[in-house]
Amino acid sequence: MEPLNHFDTLCIHAGQSPDPTTGAIMTPVFFTSTYVQEGLGKHKGFEYARTRNPTRDAVEANLAALEGGRSGIAFASGLAATQAIFELMSAGDHLVLGHNVYGGTFRLVDKVMARFGLTYTQVDTSDLDALKGALKPNTKMVLLETPTNPMLGLTDIAAVRALLKAEASAALLVVDNTFASPFNQRPLELGADLVLHSTTKYLNGHSDSVGGVAITNDEGLNERLHFIQNAAGAILSPMESWLILRGTKTLHLRMERHNASALRIARWLEARKDLKAVYYPGLESHPQHDLAKRQMKGFSGIVSFDTGDAARTERIAAAFRIFALAESLGGVESLVCHPVSMTHGSVPVADRERLGIHDSLLRLSVGVEDVEDLLADLERALRA
Ligand SMILES: Cc1ncc(COP(=O)(O)O)c(C=O)c1O
């Protein structure tokens, strides 16, 4: 096997080679808006920096390789990547959307894309009968997240692909792989047409940039998304491109630790008698644990738990010393999020309650600190 086929090696090298002018081993940050041409129509493939930038080229190739895809198209945020993917559709087309997708994704569909004539149905994509029932002749896309946020429900990606095939549906299957990262889950290999990431999370991994990427093996989709990237202009900046390249060099190391520490913490939480529920796909008690083992290499770093008591949850959230109370996830530092007042504030109360997102729920993004320190912090907070 080619050495560059191994994930750990791809993290460090894919898309990057020493700078030809200086030999610099790290890809430079190309802060430039334009490129000097030798003569009319004579250039090195770079004309204007919205269209192409060498640092962005490098990160796009790196991220594509990590997902086992042929091409990546990088955007200014996860939502900018999501919007570009939606712009593959036209007015009158129908989208099927997971019922527990990121609140910002729902807002983009409901408050922006719908104004331009996109129709949509939200459905629990883990329920194949419900998904089948939602498909229409004009369904052009199915977008799902697995695991979901913050309830960590899973969808069987290969089964959804098989369903679309059995139904002779032309809908593109788009998987938001932000929560799993390509270290743990590779949707293209399971039949997805497009993988979507908020690179803001595990791929960058250091909570110091916002970005997004779409990755595909399909040359037609690659061309159309590059066209939208240039036409609409929501590009990833050279600096953010470089920060993500810096981040992915340790993705494999970070994810191993995220996986191990989150599993340890989930088991520790589950063993306590004072919590109502613990949600983590790596727990044997998770209703889709068998699917998790089949579909994922590790179970990632997000653990949610419900105390069943909103006032107690508020006290706990304020008592952490290492886990920082903040939105977002996937960085090296541990975070604790209260979905009802933070990430899911825009989701209607009835929908939240139906999904299990109660005001007594907390979501942990388990970082790569010493796990004993994290457990001690949890112990202290839970006693608050
Ligand atoms: C699963 C998921 N997808 C997409 C996004 C949007 O990404 P961004 O915040 O980079 O726009 C987020 C943000 O939290 C997310 O959690």
Side-chain angles (χ1 to χ4, degrees):
M1 188 187 270
E2 288 276 316
L4 253 183
N5 281 348
H6 292 99
F7 189 86
D8 298 7
T9 311
L10 292 172
C11 281
I12 296 164
H13 295 290
Q16 296 152 85
S17 45
D19 174 49
T21 53
T22 62
I25 192 161
M26 288 301 142
T27 303
V29 193
F30 283 91
F31 285 125
T32 189
S33 59
T34 191
Y35 307 86
V36 177
Q37 306 194 8
E38 290 154 35
L40 296 184
K42 280 199 207 150
H43 54 75
K44 299 180 168 66
F46 297 93
E47 294 164 87
Y48 184 61
R50 171 166 28 77
T51 318
R52 273 188 81 191
N53 176 289
T55 321
R56 197 173 80 224
D57 278 4
V59 79
E60 289 179 336
N62 179 260
L63 297 177
L66 298 187
E67 282 288 359
R70 291 217 328 247
S71 37
I73 308 94
F75 296 88
S77 68
L79 280 177
T82 312
Q83 174 157 23
I85 288 173
F86 289 155
E87 285 165 351
L88 292 167
M89 293 180 282
S90 303
D93 287 347
H94 177 248
L95 162 74
V96 173
L97 195 63
H99 73 324
N100 188 198
V101 291
Y102 171 60
T105 304
F106 173 72
R107 183 177 56 198
L108 173 62
V109 172
D110 187 55
K111 298 277 188 292
V112 182
M113 302 313 293
R115 287 198 286 112
F116 293 87
L118 189 70
T119 61
Y120 73 93
T121 307
Q122 260 197 308
V123 72
D124 177 357
T125 51
S126 72
D127 178 344
L128 292 179
D129 287 335
L131 180 56
K132 187 173 162 183
L135 295 175
K136 299 181 182 184
N138 62 338
T139 304
K140 292 286 169 59
M141 188 175 289
V142 174
L143 188 153
L144 61 90
E145 288 177 22
T146 179
T148 58
N149 172 26
M151 302 312 292
L152 302 163
L154 305 185
T155 290
D156 186 335
I157 299 168
V160 172
R161 173 81 277 161
L163 172 73
L164 293 176
K165 193 168 173 211
E167 294 300 301
S169 168
L172 294 173
L173 176 54
V174 183
V175 175
D176 184 330
N177 204 26
T178 299
F179 266 54
S181 90
F183 181 82
N184 285 324
Q185 178 172 275
R186 309 235 295 175
L188 294 177
E189 290 166 7
L190 298 167
D193 297 295
L194 277 164
V195 173
L196 163 67
H197 276 279
S198 166
T199 62
T200 316
K201 313 297 178 341
Y202 285 113
L203 294 174
N204 173 257
H206 295 74
S207 309
D208 54 13
S209 81
V210 172
V213 69
I215 297 162
T216 185
N217 268 319
D218 182 293
E219 192 41 39
L221 287 176
N222 173 40
E223 270 177 31
R224 288 167 67 199
L225 282 167
H226 266 116
F227 177 84
I228 292 167
Q229 181 193 42
N230 183 47
I235 50 165
L236 188 68
S237 80
M239 190 67 220
E240 317 308 281
S241 299
W242 187 88
L243 285 166
I244 298 164
L245 280 174
R246 154 69 74 94
T248 54
K249 285 191 188 293
T250 55
L251 179 67
H252 52 306
L253 302 174
R254 289 185 283 109
M255 291 315 301
E256 272 174 15
R257 179 65 81 84
H258 287 300
N259 288 346
S261 295
L263 182 59
R264 176 94 191 275
I265 285 173
R267 289 201 168 126
W268 182 89
L269 289 168
E270 194 178 40
R272 293 181 68 97
K273 301 277 174 276
D274 60 344
L275 298 176
K276 198 174 128 208
V278 180
Y279 304 99
Y280 186 65
L283 290 176
E284 287 74 14
S285 59
H286 188 284
Q288 295 161 300
H289 182 59
D290 286 342
L291 170 60
K293 282 192 292 187
R294 216 169 52 238
Q295 184 162 274
M296 304 175 78
K297 177 174 156 191
F299 310 109
S300 209
I302 311 299
V303 181
S304 296
F305 66 92
D306 195 334
T307 67
D309 174 346
R312 179 170 177 232
T313 291
E314 194 172 344
R315 286 196 302 279
I316 293 171
F320 286 103
R321 291 195 200 149
I322 298 177
F323 282 88
L325 184 60
E327 299 200 15
S328 203
L329 59 110
V332 287
E333 62 289 305
S334 292
L335 302 179
V336 56
C337 158
H338 182 240
V340 164
S341 63
M342 295 171 142
T343 47
H344 288 66
S346 61
V347 179
V349 181
D351 291 350
R352 271 196 329 238
E353 288 294 317
R354 195 168 30 78
L355 292 168
I357 308 173
H358 306 302
D359 48 11
S360 49
L361 185 81
L362 287 177
R363 184 194 77 192
L364 304 176
S365 173
V366 177
V368 300
E369 301 94 338
D370 189 294
V371 72
E372 299 299 335
D373 288 341
L374 296 179
L375 288 169
D377 197 35
L378 271 163
E379 173 79 59
R380 178 177 38 242
L382 288 169
R383 274 205 309 262

